[in-house]
């Protein structure tokens, strides 16, 4: 499905806005866990609200990455090379999203 440039621009801006708000909170969370051991980190991530926040933040980050890389690839590559690069980019983003969600669910169900 081909996305109109206007819609892609809006999605890039929305994901950037979300990330500009979410990433400082993520940074504070990581700083709070600076001296925590493994069990303390696992217990913190077991909090459903925090796990959801982490999952959404990582998923939006990867989606934002894919949107930005799509622009870069389309600027520099043409035809079949662009299709291969876009396929690899989307596959990597989806694979990392699945791995992230699987890991978060695994930690919560432990």
């Amino acid at each position: 499905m081909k996305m109109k440039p206007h819609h892609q621009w809006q999605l890039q801006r929305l994901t950037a806005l979300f990330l500009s708000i979410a990433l400082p909170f993520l940074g504070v969370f990581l700083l709070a866990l600076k001296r925590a051991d493994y069990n303390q980190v696992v217990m913190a991530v077991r909090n459903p609200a925090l796990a959801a926040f982490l999952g959404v933040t990582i998923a939006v980050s990867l989606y934002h990455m894919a949107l930005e890389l799509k622009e870069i690839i389309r600027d520099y590559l043409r035809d079949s090379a662009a299709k291969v690069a876009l396929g690899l980019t989307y596959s990597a983003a989806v694979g990392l999203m699945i791995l992230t969600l699987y890991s978060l669910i695994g930690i919560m169900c432990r």
Side-chain angles (χ1 to χ4, degrees):
M1 186 169 107
K2 193 168 184 175
M3 190 182 308
K4 293 181 182 178
H6 179 70
H7 294 294
Q8 183 166 338
W9 183 87
Q10 287 177 332
L11 285 172
Q12 287 173 330
R13 298 310 174 256
L14 285 173
T15 56
L17 177 64
F18 173 80
L19 292 172
S20 67
I21 294 168
L23 290 180
F25 289 108
L26 184 61
V28 169
F29 169 70
L30 293 175
L31 285 174
L33 292 176
K34 184 177 180 180
R35 301 206 186 270
D37 63 8
Y38 175 78
N39 291 325
Q40 290 171 325
V41 173
V42 169
M43 290 306 293
V45 174
R46 281 189 181 169
N47 179 338
L50 181 62
F53 171 73
L54 289 173
V56 168
T57 301
I58 292 170
V60 170
S61 297
L62 292 169
Y63 184 65
H64 183 77
M65 174 210 64
L67 287 173
E68 295 297 330
L69 284 175
K70 178 181 176 183
E71 290 297 311
I72 294 168
I73 290 168
R74 293 235 168 130
D75 284 344
Y76 293 102
L77 299 176
R78 298 286 177 241
D79 304 325
S80 62
K83 288 181 182 179
V84 169
L86 287 172
L88 290 172
T89 299
Y90 293 145
S91 297
V94 169
L96 287 170
M97 283 182 201
I98 291 169
L99 181 64
T100 298
L101 294 176
Y102 178 77
S103 298
L104 285 173
I105 291 168
I107 290 171
M108 291 182 66
C109 295
R110 217 168 183 205

